[in-house]
Amino acid sequence: MMRTLAATLFVLASLLPGLAAAEAIQLPVETLDERLLDVPAELQKTPRVLVIGFTHASQKATKPWFDKLLPGCGAGLGCYNVSIIERMPGFARGFAVSKMRDDVPVAQHGQWLLVTENSAGWLQLAGTAKADDSAYIVVFGADGAVRARLHGQWSAALQAEVDKAVATP
């Protein structure tokens, strides 16, 4: 019996690093200030909240989220707005990015992430199989582990879930 238990524990322990590695996805982005980063590794090393929009129409859901989060962002909390523009035609993409740069305050350009490849990886990170017009919220702890995955319009109840995940050590 003890041998069986020891063997089972050994097998489980050997699987854990693989499970952690599967969660440790790295996704390339470009910021509005034209820096290339891998998410989440190269983001601020504090709790981080990503507000992800997969479609143009999702701006109606992501903007209120980002606007509500922004006052609490800073040294202790990183907040990022993620726009998936991979499927946008090249001629429209340049126009859209230029418009974003004009509309977003320069001080926030580093918090706006543009995704031009691997939207499937972003779907996986958001915990969904199909993109829709919702806002997807992913909360990372300071250690880089995902603490919460949520989606939907901003609400006080969802904000409370984000706050709880941010506060989790």
Side-chain angles (χ1 to χ4, degrees), residues 32 83 85 96-104 109 112 114:
L32 274 184
S83 296
I85 60 172
V97 171
S98 179
K99 177 113 175 76
M100 280 188 237
R101 285 193 178 110
D102 289 344
D103 292 347
V104 174
H109 281 197
W112 285 67
L114 306 172

Side-chain angles (χ1 to χ4, degrees), residues 4-89:
T4 304
L5 180 59
T8 302
L9 289 174
F10 176 77
V11 168
L12 287 173
S14 67
L15 290 175
L16 288 176
L19 292 175
E23 186 70 12
I25 190 167
Q26 296 302 313
L27 300 164
V29 298
E30 180 179 342
T31 64
L32 274 184
D33 58 6
E34 302 183 51
R35 290 179 296 128
L36 300 176
L37 303 173
D38 283 328
V39 172
E42 294 182 304
L43 298 180
Q44 184 174 331
K45 302 298 185 216
T46 62
R48 293 148 279 187
V49 180
L50 276 60
V51 179
I52 306 167
F54 287 96
T55 66
H56 178 72
S58 69
Q59 291 176 28
K60 291 177 184 165
T62 59
K63 184 173 179 359
W65 265 107
F66 196 69
D67 290 347
K68 294 283 187 177
L69 290 169
L70 201 55
C73 300
L77 178 64
C79 300
Y80 301 90
N81 191 316
V82 182
S83 296
I84 311 294
I85 60 172
E86 178 179 18
R87 293 193 177 129
M88 188 178 287

